[in-house]
Amino acid sequence: MKKTILRQYLEIKSPEDIKEIIKPENFYSIELVDSNDFQLNKFFYKQVGRKYNWTDRLIWTDKNWIDYVSNKSLLTFSLKRKKDLAGYFELLIHDNEVEIVYFGLLEEYFGKKLGGYLLSEALRKSFKIPKIKRVWCHTCSYDHKHGIKNYLSRGMSIFNTQKLIIDT
């Protein structure tokens, strides 16, 4: 059977265009993750991604994960409520732009207005990197039903759309 997936690419080109959401509660913090801690990226990829059909990295060995997080151009940030993990985002620096590679919340944190805050922080932190002129990402029809709305509400705009046909 064939299935059509809509993939949308979004971008924002100035920090002034970010429509930020402030932190919902003082209990939350966003922290840069130690690049030697591949287990955290692996954990979030599996836990956040299982609802959204993230499968390409499920076959990765620990060495693949270590190589990935060791990339000096990759920054991973975790969202915590007090000391509990709530979500994360990965930023990959490409010359004068940043790609938000992965972004998401653990399911128990859905419905708490954290997605907008987390995306605001991902965009803000991206533009604090010297010489960054553009931040981009992509989403698809498998992602959270409010995902595209969140990206657009934070000031991002769609610059490309693809329809992919896959076998299921």
Side-chain angles (χ1 to χ4, degrees):
M1 190 165 93
K2 305 264 185 207
K3 183 170 185 167
T4 301
I5 298 172
L6 180 66
R7 181 182 290 162
Q8 295 173 299
Y9 293 82
L10 299 105
E11 67 184 356
I12 188 167
K13 294 184 177 180
S14 171
E16 289 79 32
D17 293 336
I18 301 170
K19 295 178 180 117
E20 290 190 58
I21 296 285
I22 58 169
K23 188 187 319 185
E25 295 178 18
N26 284 334
F27 302 122
Y28 291 98
S29 63
I30 293 180
E31 302 170 6
L32 181 62
V33 174
D34 181 346
S35 63
N36 294 320
D37 188 4
F38 76 94
Q39 292 289 359
L40 193 69
N41 293 69
K42 183 178 176 180
F43 166 79
F44 274 123
Y45 180 86
K46 287 181 174 182
Q47 295 305 309
V48 172
R50 70 180 164 183
K51 271 189 83 108
Y52 307 112
N53 215 26
W54 296 357
T55 58
D56 56 323
R57 296 183 182 180
L58 294 178
I59 61 169
W60 278 16
T61 65
D62 285 353
K63 181 173 179 348
N64 292 128
W65 281 104
I66 291 166
D67 291 346
Y68 177 70
V69 301
S70 298
N71 180 346
K72 299 294 182 214
S73 296
L74 181 74
L75 301 171
T76 302
F77 292 85
S78 64
L79 172 66
K80 291 184 177 181
R81 184 179 192 281
K82 297 182 181 176
K83 293 186 179 196
D84 294 333
L85 295 170
Y88 85 126
F89 56 88
E90 295 177 358
L91 305 178
L92 188 58
I93 304 163
H94 307 276
D95 297 321
N96 63 347
E97 61 184 38
V98 170
E99 176 186 2
I100 301 173
V101 183
Y102 285 99
F103 168 90
L105 296 168
L106 297 175
E107 195 168 358
E108 57 266 33
Y109 291 94
F110 287 6
K112 300 182 185 310
K113 306 291 183 195
L114 291 169
Y117 167 65
L118 188 61
L119 182 56
S120 294
E121 288 297 301
L123 295 170
R124 198 175 62 72
K125 289 185 182 307
S126 294
F127 279 114
K128 286 192 175 209
I129 299 168
K131 300 180 183 174
I132 296 303
K133 307 237 184 285
R134 175 179 178 248
V135 180
W136 68 278
C137 66
H138 67 78
T139 187
C140 77
S141 46
Y142 277 140
D143 287 341
H144 191 280
K145 64 182 179 180
H146 298 302
I148 191 69
K149 180 181 175 188
N150 187 22
Y151 293 118
L152 295 171
S153 295
R154 300 292 70 76
M156 299 185 85
S157 59
I158 297 169
F159 71 90
N160 191 17
T161 301
Q162 294 176 322
K163 284 189 180 176
L164 307 168
I165 311 282
I166 61 166
D167 291 317
T168 56

